[in-house]
Amino acid sequence: MLALAIQKSGRLSEKTKHLLNESGVYFENGSRNPLKSKAVNFPLQILYLRDDDIPEFVADGIADAGVVGENVCLEKGKNVEVVEKLGFARCRLSIAVPKNMSYNSVQDLAGLRIATSYPRILQKFLDENNVRAEIHEVNGSVEIAPGIGFADAIFDIVSTGSTLISNGLKEVETVMHSEAILIAHPSLTEEKRQYLDQLVFRFKAVNKARNYKYILLNAPNNAIDKIAQILPGMKSPTVMPLALEGWSSVHSVVKEDDFWEVIENLREAGAQGILVIPIEKMIV
Ligand code: PRT
Ligand code: ZN
């Protein structure tokens, strides 16, 4: 049995549960213990924790693995293995100052009071840039610190940036990017490692599928070579004859990021009746 620590409630919890469900892992309903539950169809126990505690629980071996933000993992500095990036809860950790402060370079932070919940990451950044500033550690509502005179600048999580704007702040340095990651105890037993590998295999299939679409189109036979170059697919596209003489149906996969460009190129090459369908799992 593998013990996986996930966030009890917060920005990571729903997406983590969703990823597990999409990976075919379901939990028993109405567990008597609100902090633990067992998967019904996988040798997995879930521990529900605050995200800040997850790296330590995994480092100590109380949990074998955990899902946590890269930011929290780095701040805690525990001895854990980063197994896989999970592609959700993306954000960045940035320094922000009042919007009317003139700011040219990181040297302008010298001597300022900077409020943050991430003192270790901030200290490392300041050291790397040879800047001395005062770090004031706070556990929440960091963005109000300059407005109430508690600090001159902040170092905090930014996603859309609207929280900064509504507090009269501007982002001046991006220190790191973060997303949810799967971490593990560095020395798992062979059995647990196998369960973890199975889980990672499923996570990868789910996440890969999210980045691709299945595409079907009709094309005159003389356009198929060109279309095959635009649509390489997993190996090469599937081509099947239509009932209409001289025409074929072409099936392939296309990356979400390249999607619109590919569609335009396909139309130019003579593709018609293009259908695009989401993929549920993708194993390459
Ligand atoms: O209770 P517990 O300790 O478990 O949770 P928490 O309150 O410490 O964390 P939670 O649930 O808020 O966030 C968990 C993780 O989600 C973080 O550690 C990040 O890795 C990730 N994440 C992704 C975010 C955001 N996006 C985010 N936007 N965490 C926080 N925010 C906050 C940010 O602090 C700021 O107040 O959202 C605000 C900024 O958002 P924008 O869109 O206005 O820029
Ligand atoms: Zn937290």
Side-chain angles (χ1 to χ4, degrees):
M1 174 92 70
L2 188 79
L4 178 74
I6 71 171
Q7 190 188 28
K8 187 171 189 301
S9 68
R11 284 189 165 84
L12 300 169
S13 48
E14 281 316 307
K15 291 211 165 122
T16 308
K17 285 183 215 158
H18 187 65
L19 177 61
L20 285 162
N21 289 163
E22 298 241 284
S23 303
V25 180
Y26 296 92
F27 319 107
E28 57 190 10
N29 260 334
S31 159
R32 262 171 295 144
N33 187 340
L35 302 179
K36 268 187 192 177
S37 68
K38 255 194 207 150
V40 285
N41 53 355
F42 195 87
L44 188 74
Q45 182 173 53
I46 304 284
L47 307 177
Y48 299 93
L49 300 174
R50 284 201 56 188
D51 66 347
D52 315 72
D53 296 331
I54 292 175
E56 188 167 351
F57 271 61
V58 173
D60 292 351
I62 296 162
D64 302 307
V67 174
V68 71
E70 260 175 308
N71 52 324
V72 170
C73 186
L74 194 67
E75 178 62 27
K76 299 294 170 188
K78 301 286 174 192
N79 179 24
V80 295
E81 177 196 346
V82 176
V83 182
E84 181 75 18
K85 295 198 176 202
L86 300 176
F88 60 87
R90 286 184 200 273
C91 56
R92 53 195 189 273
L93 255 70
S94 295
I95 296 175
V97 299
K99 67 171 188 287
N100 48 15
M101 175 181 149
S102 92
Y103 185 94
N104 299 309
S105 81
V106 64
Q107 303 307 325
D108 292 339
L109 298 170
L112 298 191
R113 297 165 300 161
I114 310 176
T116 187
S117 313
Y118 299 91
R120 276 176 76 116
I121 299 173
L122 177 58
Q123 188 65 63
K124 185 164 171 280
F125 174 78
L126 294 174
D127 289 349
E128 281 166 3
N129 287 284
N130 294 315
V131 172
R132 275 168 178 265
E134 267 178 52
I135 298 178
H136 289 246
E137 188 173 348
V138 282
N139 283 323
S141 307
V142 180
E143 60 281 352
I144 65 165
I148 58 171
F150 177 74
D152 308 304
I154 67 163
F155 174 57
D156 198 13
I157 297 172
V158 182
S159 174
T160 60
S162 62
T163 304
L164 293 184
I165 292 171
S166 62
N167 284 281
L169 300 168
K170 61 179 176 189
E171 190 175 355
V172 291
E173 300 286 344
T174 300
V175 174
M176 71 174 282
H177 288 270
S178 174
E179 64 185 88
I181 51 174
L182 178 68
I183 57 172
H185 186 68
S187 47
L188 291 178
T189 62
E190 206 168 303
E191 190 194 14
K192 288 184 174 190
R193 174 61 60 178
Q194 261 179 22
Y195 295 146
L196 186 69
D197 288 348
Q198 278 175 30
L199 211 54
V200 172
F201 177 79
R202 295 184 187 195
F203 286 176
K204 279 186 174 159
V206 171
N207 279 338
K208 188 130 195 139
R210 266 192 207 135
N211 297 331
Y212 285 84
K213 298 272 181 262
Y214 192 77
I215 183 163
L216 303 94
L217 56 90
N218 294 330
N221 288 344
N222 60 13
I224 285 174
D225 283 350
K226 195 158 183 208
I227 285 174
Q229 279 169 19
I230 303 168
L231 272 184
M234 284 163 82
K235 268 207 172 61
S236 79
T238 308
V239 180
M240 286 180 285
L242 289 188
L244 180 66
E245 185 83 21
W247 281 74
S248 296
S249 167
V250 181
H251 298 205
S252 190
V253 294
V254 57
K255 235 183 164 173
E256 178 97 69
D257 293 347
D258 309 334
F259 183 73
W260 289 109
E261 203 186 322
V262 167
I263 297 286
E264 274 163 31
N265 293 341
L266 288 172
R267 278 161 49 96
E268 262 171 40
Q272 296 180 8
I274 303 173
L275 291 182
V276 178
I277 300 167
I279 301 173
E280 198 171 305
K281 309 281 186 295
M282 189 162 164
I283 293 125
V284 289

